[in-house]
Amino acid sequence: MAMWQGAMDNRGFQQGSFNSFRSSSSDEDLMDIPGTAMDFSMRDDVPPLDGEIEEDKSYNGGGIGSSNRMMDFLEEPIPGVGTYDDFNTIDWVREKSRDRDRHREITNKSKESTWALIHSVSDAFSGWLLMLLIGLLSGSLAGLIDISAHWMTDLKEGICTGGLWFNHEHCCWNSEHVTFEDRDKCPEWNSWSQLIISTDEGAFAYIVNYFMYVLWALLFAFLAVSLVKVFAPYACGSGIPEIKTILSGFIIRGYLGKWTLIIKTITLVLAVSSGLSLGKEGPLVHVACCCGNILCHCFNKYRKNEAKRREVLSAAAAAGVSVAFGAPIGGVLFSLEEVSYYFPLKTLWRSFFAALVAAFTLRSINPFGNSRLVLFYVEFHTPWHLFELVPFILLGIFGGLWGALFIRTNIAWCRKRKTTQLGKYPVVEVLVVTAITAILAFPNEYTRMSTSELISELFNDCGLLDSSKLCDYENRFNTSKGGELPDRPAGVGVYSAMWQLALTLILKIIITIFTFGMKIPSGLFIPSMAVGAIAGRLLGVGMEQLAYYHHDWAIFNSWCSQGADCITPGLYAMVGAAACLGGVTRMTVSLVVIMFELTGGLEYIVPLMAAAMTSKWVADALGREGIYDAHIRLNGYPFLEAKEEFAHKTLAMDVMKPRRNDPLLTVLTQDSMTVEDVESIITETTYSGFPVVVSRESQRLVGFVLRRDLIISIENARKKQDGVVSTSVIYFTEHSPPMPPYTPPTLKLRNILDLSPFTVTDLTPMEIVVDIFRKLGLRQCLVTHNGRLLGIITKKDVLKHIAQMANQDPDSILFN
């Protein structure tokens, strides 16, 4: 029977089933998403988000024996009605209407008394207070994660005897015996070979350090995957695909709960410290959204309204990027461009405030110890030339190719993980990838260091005080040329660094494909930027040497005079990082802003824009989806991408259910069905809602009622209203129908009926229907012909139709 397929699979309507709504806390139902080890066949009713049922103690009794009146649910709101099942989509229109009614009521009451006026002011201020709390909590957690990850990363190579809590850099800062040339060496810092065999020289010492490096990496990875598997399956991955889906109106209970926040914070530190090719920046968005969701429970305005809560989560996502990169403006633009589905102007202001507070909190903690908020601060003194747009565009092409390659290969590997035995052994997979990564990383100093340190070194413009091999130019200390920057022919160190960086590039490209999507927190921003930064630095050094040895070529002689340092390899690394990140995520505006906030390179916006746009064009030519959209489709989430156009000439009647030759639509009548009739329909079907019509003969539409609301209301009436039995008539009209004498009391359920369901005619083009679903955030749309009900179109039906038109598998859409 064709009708709205609900996400929950009721195995029978039972009198005691209402107790399942009270079984556990709303945010702590640890159901797993596709790809984890949990069982999706368990789709029983779950408790409402607002927890109203726990607050209404009157539900614990068996009924009100002294009450003989007919219950009017318009006067007594039913706890639980208006909430949503797990893996269902919210009704944006209903939620916004409820918030307008609530605001109108508060405004009217504010004129009656001083206390009501104070309540009105506090209600208006609560949003800003919530943003302040989100910013403070997100910034504090980000600072804690940064400090902990830096310390534990250095723990793989040694320990500070002057203070176990010091990382390598801070340990030597406090030393009185450190020299400028060897500022990373001090007697207080001891490698593991020095501690174990009292020497740091020789092959055996190298083997000891190698073994300890791999051992610590495996220990960190094992702890991370074990904690995720046991305590919070939702803490794995970056979280951004699920955040995008949740912000579009989808319900995933427990994904933003307190257990997920605690475990993700701990395991994120462990995962980054293990040396795997992943970053903490993407998961910090998930952490910030968990903070926002948990703090929403302190305010009724947001606790009881799913649409308002998603406005808060949009702002929290901005705060997450703000603390991830030290880029508050970029965080707001990232939330607007990449993750948010509904972003009104008020949300823009509050996102800006939350990002500001989060960035200020992180700056106050000063986790990097350099009094700077930005992660990779640069000071480039050489302006770029118009001709350099050519290599910048080449980097954009490389970024687009890398992005398309990565998305295809990573999605193929994740699909293999989901459909084979590999997915059943997440701990083994993580340990194997960690072991391979650590074994290959240790011999190469650029893979051994953390990815953030690597990017910082690649962005660096070599000066006289730099001791890196990337700055080992033959005559860089020759300053006899009238104050001009000297010629910079590459020395032995530069050539050695180029070979090591080339090997690092190959390793990063390959290992990141298998790392992203494992059952540990794993971000993609930093690994993508590392790939681009390495490619950019290689190209930049090549351009620099070409200009040095061939400064008389026509392309150089007009702007690159002999003796002048006219090429900045660090700038090429920065542009390459933006290009690869754009190729993977398909960000443009927010990417450019994040990059110049990240580095302080404000005057290099044009090269960044050129590379970002080129990268997006090339990647889009090879595949329309970014990595997050691809993972959304892989997991079967009901997400309508607002950026894509529907160009097919189909009609609403081609998509609606029931189709031709299908059984008739299952409907309820407005005043002629008994409680037993309705319970039978609920028992025999799995639909999540039912249209209400005048009568089966006329099929004139009256409204739409949700299955969940029916179940709660009927069970509530059986407990609270005397005389309600199976033969009691349910009516959805304003006045009860005339009943014969000695009949059981009727049950009025008009208040749970949506009297204004969205409808279209059967000849409405599907491109208009798709646009309506996108812009209004509908759950379902009823199809009529001359006012007579014909069928229904759900969001899932629309997504299946879009997939079918694109020659994709329509059954990949798993949830409503």
Side-chain angles (χ1 to χ4, degrees), residues 505-566:
L505 178 63
I506 296 172
L507 176 62
K508 290 286 184 185
I509 286 176
I510 296 174
I511 206 68
T512 305
I513 293 171
F514 299 98
T515 303
F516 186 71
M518 291 196 305
K519 297 301 177 283
I520 54 173
S522 55
L524 195 57
F525 281 39
I526 290 297
S528 299
M529 290 177 64
V531 169
I534 295 170
R537 189 77 187 202
L538 292 173
L539 180 60
V541 172
M543 287 290 296
E544 180 188 48
Q545 297 307 302
L546 192 65
Y548 170 72
Y549 288 108
H550 303 283
H551 58 269
D552 55 341
W553 283 10
I555 58 175
F556 296 121
N557 61 15
S558 61
W559 59 282
C560 191
S561 59
Q562 185 176 8
D565 184 18
C566 48

Side-chain angles (χ1 to χ4, degrees), residues 542-677:
M543 287 290 296
E544 180 188 48
Q545 297 307 302
L546 192 65
Y548 170 72
Y549 288 108
H550 303 283
H551 58 269
D552 55 341
W553 283 10
I555 58 175
F556 296 121
N557 61 15
S558 61
W559 59 282
C560 191
S561 59
Q562 185 176 8
D565 184 18
C566 48
I567 301 289
T568 306
L571 173 60
Y572 285 73
M574 188 169 75
V575 172
C580 281
L581 184 54
V584 171
T585 63
R586 310 298 163 85
M587 295 189 299
T588 52
V589 179
S590 57
L591 172 62
V592 172
V593 175
I594 287 173
M595 287 304 299
F596 83 69
E597 281 192 282
L598 195 64
T599 59
L602 188 60
E603 60 183 296
Y604 302 107
I605 287 181
V606 173
L608 290 171
M609 291 174 67
M613 283 308 305
T614 304
S615 173
K616 177 174 173 57
W617 287 335
V618 172
D620 281 348
L622 299 174
R624 295 292 299 175
E625 291 179 322
I627 184 64
Y628 302 129
D629 296 325
H631 273 271
I632 286 173
R633 187 163 61 86
L634 177 68
N635 290 331
Y637 297 137
F639 182 77
L640 268 174
E641 178 57 64
K643 302 170 188 174
E644 296 181 1
E645 296 293 331
F646 184 86
H648 303 282
K649 294 183 178 180
T650 51
L651 301 175
M653 61 187 299
D654 301 323
V655 181
M656 73 175 189
K657 293 181 179 179
R659 305 285 178 86
R660 293 183 179 89
N661 302 322
D662 282 345
L664 294 176
L665 197 65
T666 301
V667 296
L668 306 180
T669 57
Q670 67 175 359
D671 57 7
S672 60
M673 297 187 71
T674 63
V675 171
E676 184 179 24
D677 295 334

Side-chain angles (χ1 to χ4, degrees), residues 77 128 290 457 460 466 486 531 591 609 688 740 768 784:
W128 295 101
C290 287
E457 184 157 337
N460 182 40
D466 287 302
V531 169
L591 172 62
M609 291 174 67
S688 288
I768 295 178
T784 61

Side-chain angles (χ1 to χ4, degrees), residues 102 106 109-110 114-125:
R102 183 198 63 82
I106 291 176
K109 286 184 178 180
S110 65
T114 304
W115 177 251
L117 179 62
I118 294 173
H119 176 66
S120 175
V121 173
S122 66
D123 180 78
F125 181 71

Side-chain angles (χ1 to χ4, degrees), residues 96-163:
K96 297 301 291 183
S97 177
R98 288 170 60 186
D99 184 65
R100 282 194 298 269
D101 293 340
R102 183 198 63 82
H103 186 266
R104 192 180 297 115
E105 181 182 358
I106 291 176
T107 303
N108 293 336
K109 286 184 178 180
S110 65
K111 302 172 184 178
E112 299 174 0
S113 66
T114 304
W115 177 251
L117 179 62
I118 294 173
H119 176 66
S120 175
V121 173
S122 66
D123 180 78
F125 181 71
S126 62
W128 295 101
L129 177 60
L130 181 56
M131 294 302 110
L132 175 67
L133 295 175
I134 290 172
L136 290 172
L137 184 56
S138 301
S140 301
L141 287 177
L144 175 65
I145 290 170
D146 286 334
I147 294 171
S148 303
H150 198 172
W151 174 71
M152 292 181 67
T153 298
D154 289 346
L155 192 63
K156 293 184 299 183
E157 299 186 12
I159 198 167
C160 184
T161 55

Side-chain angles (χ1 to χ4, degrees), residues 96 128 311 315 332 336 342-353:
K96 297 301 291 183
W128 295 101
E311 294 179 19
V332 175
L336 173 61
Y342 175 69
F343 204 84
L345 191 59
K346 183 168 60 176
T347 302
L348 176 67
W349 300 334
R350 290 182 175 173
S351 299
F352 184 80
F353 179 65

